[in-house]
Amino acid sequence: KREDASVDDRLTGICELLQENVPYYDWVGFYFRNENKEELKLRSFAGEPTDHTIIPFGKGICGQVAVSNSNFVVPDVKAQNNYIACSIFVKAEIVIPLFVNGENIGQIDIDSHTADPFSKEDEEFLEFVNSQVASILK
Ligand code: SME
């Protein structure tokens, strides 16, 4: 559908803007719940392509956020036992759920090549980004 294509373009634009302007945001993507399935699907991203375009609920940092509905900040990915590695360069990750009408429908996922780069400000900023994205999805 035409409207869907333009939302995809806008989501890609947001990923690119974040990845290009924040030095420690090395990969930025939006995953959304696949309808009627217990899995996430990658919808748009900026950075190196990943093999992990489908992630089952509960698997990895992303899959855990799909079920916890909570922010997940990982200062050191090596310390996580339920983690899906996308690149050997990734040292840290942040995943913030995206709510529409109170429902967790997806998430923004950011990988960093810098160790322990994410602060409370990143969480608040990305919550704001997601709230803005929620308003273009309706
Ligand atoms: N590391 C994520 C998988 C997605 S890649 O970072 C793009 C995870 O553990 O869920």
Side-chain angles (χ1 to χ4, degrees), residues 4-135:
D4 286 350
S6 95
V7 170
D8 285 349
D9 288 347
R10 292 172 78 181
L11 290 174
T12 302
I14 293 163
C15 291
E16 287 171 351
L17 193 71
L18 293 172
Q19 194 250 0
E20 285 163 16
N21 287 284
V22 183
Y24 54 94
Y25 289 4
D26 292 291
W27 188 93
V28 180
F30 285 102
Y31 285 90
F32 287 95
R33 181 182 188 158
N34 242 346
E35 217 177 335
N36 302 321
K37 288 189 185 158
E38 300 279 289
E39 67 183 27
L40 296 162
K41 187 179 183 212
L42 184 61
R43 183 161 176 187
S44 56
F45 70 94
E48 290 298 306
T50 174
D51 289 338
H52 304 287
T53 56
I54 299 281
I55 298 177
F57 277 22
K59 283 257 190 167
I61 308 305
C62 296
Q64 291 177 78
V65 169
V67 294
S68 73
N69 307 321
S70 300
N71 297 349
F72 200 154
V73 181
V74 181
D76 174 11
V77 296
K78 285 201 170 68
Q80 294 293 318
N81 49 30
N82 186 0
Y83 169 70
I84 303 164
C86 284
S87 148
I88 53 160
F89 302 112
V90 175
K91 293 200 170 100
E93 178 163 6
I94 186 169
V95 179
I96 308 291
L98 195 160
F99 298 97
V100 171
N101 300 324
E103 192 189 349
N104 177 0
I105 63 146
Q107 51 191 237
I108 189 166
D109 174 23
I110 299 179
D111 285 340
S112 183
H113 299 173
T114 303
D116 195 7
F118 301 116
S119 68
K120 198 73 203 163
E121 265 121 64
D122 293 282
E123 285 189 68
E124 286 166 4
F125 170 58
L126 296 168
E127 285 168 7
F128 171 74
V129 169
N130 278 358
S131 71
Q132 297 300 298
V133 168
S135 69

